[in-house]
Amino acid sequence: MGDSNEESPPEKKRRSSSLTLTPILNQSLSSTDIQLINVYTAKIRSKKDASNLLKLLPPLPSDLDHLKRIRSTKSDSLEAIIGHQSLQDDDPALDLLTPSTIHKAPVPQLRPLTSFQFKKSNECWPCNFHPDKEIEKLVSENCGLSAEDMGVVANNVKTVMDRFFQMKMQTCAVYDPIDKELVCVANSKPSLLHHSVMNCLEMLAQTQRNTEERIGNRKWDFGEIVCKRIVRNKHSDYLCTGMDVYLSHEPCIMCAMALLHSRARKIFFVHNNMNNGGLNSVVKLHCLDGINHRFQVFKVTE
Amino acid sequence: MQDTQAIQHCIGLGPISVRDAADILLTNDLNLNHMDLAFKLAEEALSVGEVPVGCVLVFEQEVIGQGRNFVNESKNATRHAELVAIDEVTTSWAAEKGQENKLEEVFSKCQLYVTVEPCIMCASALNQLRIPVIVYGAANERFGGCGSVLDVFSKGEESFRPKVVSGVRAEEAVELLKQFYKGENPNAPVLKQKRKK
Ligand SMILES: [Zn+2]
Ligand SMILES: [Zn+2]
């Protein structure tokens, strides 16, 4: 299976006992290249002038306000960002700067969004950074999952991959992390649009509609409900609210959106779908602006 | 009368002259009367508390599948009007006409009429079935897959791009959606009076 060659920082790939998770993030989060922009900088004449200079300089424009105004250099002097434009000849701030050192210097163009980007940006010019707890978890070891959770992931991945190899059909499984049990598993059918995700959702919906209180081990020609308890009206009315979904292959755009409509919590997939993948390869639906439900997506490498 | 209305409504293709719009309608053999049925289905959805969207699939001038939103009753968030209509074709119609093995060909010659822009899920389904002509009413700002949130067709194979006509009776479609989101009694006579305009 062809993998996308999207680069991810080494921090993002962490080995568990047997598998590796890569979070599929917005380009702005997964980017490891720090884009630079040239702005005017100058050395400050004397360290004690720094606070006065801050009062004299016009505030940084909003597109630069992720940058610290002043940094100390290796030679133990201070250096300040003037801005996109240099200063007028009669600007009082000039008295506090060393005019011969005014020059254009590269600084990070964008606000760092992860601690990785923060670290890299700081090598160029010190930045402000407000870590997002969820994102930091995602880019940390095992994407923030505990060893126990990683064991669950490994089991569920094995379930879908075993079925995929057995049936030679893409496979989807739904796991309930609250009750800690597999809910259903299905493979695709050769008929039009009967993909494994849609089949799983259909089984869940039929089960939800069922008026019988106990549903266990119900079978369809493409899959089965495998939990023994009441599925009906659990958690909420959306079929996959709070559920984790495991896939042998990245879902197509249709199935990816179906999972969004069904409010899944986390998606794990093994192989990329280069032709029509909706969560990594062709588009990342969960990263689009204006989508009203977000789930986390992970590519699993066995 | 129907034609002038149709031409006036061919507004979703960007700046387009009345003549171009007429061309699109003629060369694709569009019959906007099929929107009547789509709207009837949308109203039916509204009357049972579903999001009011209706959809009709036409093959060789004949309606072969129709659907309305069926999400609440089915408890399946994927039972949108388009997928319901497609299922009708693949099950009842195909069986009745003995066309089970020719479905791919049938879909690749269908026209789809729907009151609201297909969502990303449905647009991808239409893309995979290679339905060549899509006519819709109101834009779908939340989930639209024909350009509002994502243009699904620009993401697929380059060899296939459907003709998409948008804005057909859009105000009517929006009015129905407003009724739904306001939670008004869908059977209130006010609605019918308004719609008759
Ligand atoms: Zn799919
Ligand atoms: Zn839809």
Side-chain angles (χ1 to χ4, degrees), chain B residues 23-188:
Chain B
D23 275 354
I24 287 174
L25 293 175
L26 282 173
T27 52
N28 291 292
D29 220 4
L30 291 187
N31 180 354
L32 296 190
N33 289 323
H34 290 305
M35 284 301 263
D36 291 346
L37 179 53
F39 272 99
K40 239 173 121 178
L41 291 159
E43 283 175 47
E44 183 189 306
L46 184 65
S47 72
V48 295
E50 299 275 3
V51 176
V53 182
C55 174
V56 178
L57 271 162
V58 176
F59 175 62
E60 294 175 343
Q61 304 296 341
E62 184 204 342
V63 174
I64 61 168
Q66 47 180 284
R68 59 152 173 93
N69 227 304
F70 202 61
V71 166
N72 293 331
E73 197 183 327
S74 69
K75 300 213 180 284
N76 186 340
T78 71
R79 296 285 81 199
H80 289 186
E82 299 90 325
L83 297 193
V84 173
I86 288 167
D87 274 1
E88 191 176 279
V89 175
T90 54
T91 53
S92 348
W93 183 82
E96 194 184 308
K97 305 274 177 181
Q99 297 276 351
E100 285 100 332
N101 299 322
K102 286 199 179 154
L103 280 172
E104 270 178 64
E105 193 192 326
V106 169
F107 281 120
S108 73
K109 291 176 180 165
C110 268
Q111 301 167 344
L112 180 125
Y113 298 82
V114 59
T115 56
V116 178
E117 176 187 359
C119 76
I120 292 169
M121 171 184 74
C122 294
S124 176
L126 306 181
N127 196 34
Q128 293 180 49
L129 295 176
R130 293 170 169 265
I131 292 178
V133 181
I134 297 163
V135 180
Y136 69 81
N140 179 346
E141 303 295 344
R142 290 169 73 200
F143 303 117
C146 303
S148 290
V149 177
L150 180 75
D151 180 1
V152 167
F153 307 111
S154 72
K155 302 288 177 189
E157 293 168 53
E158 274 165 43
S159 56
F160 172 72
R161 292 222 56 179
K163 294 227 170 61
V164 181
V165 178
S166 64
V168 180
R169 293 166 68 175
E171 310 78 20
E172 257 174 90
V174 168
E175 186 56 39
L176 283 174
L177 291 170
K178 276 189 190 156
Q179 298 289 337
F180 176 81
Y181 287 109
K182 260 189 275 173
E184 282 181 11
N185 178 358
N187 297 314

Side-chain angles (χ1 to χ4, degrees), chain A residues 2 6 27 68 82 97 108 174 188 208 213 236 255 260 294:
Chain A
E6 191 170 321
Q27 176 63 31
K68 300 258 194 223
I82 299 169
L97 296 166
V174 178
S188 295
Q208 297 275 38
E213 287 281 295
S236 107
C255 293
L260 267 166
R294 305 249 167 225

Side-chain angles (χ1 to χ4, degrees), chain A residues 102-121:
Chain A
I102 295 180
H103 73 296
K104 277 194 144 182
V107 296
Q109 185 174 22
L110 302 171
R111 177 179 303 281
L113 299 173
T114 63
S115 47
F116 181 87
Q117 292 174 359
F118 178 53
K119 217 177 103 200
K120 261 193 110 174
S121 298

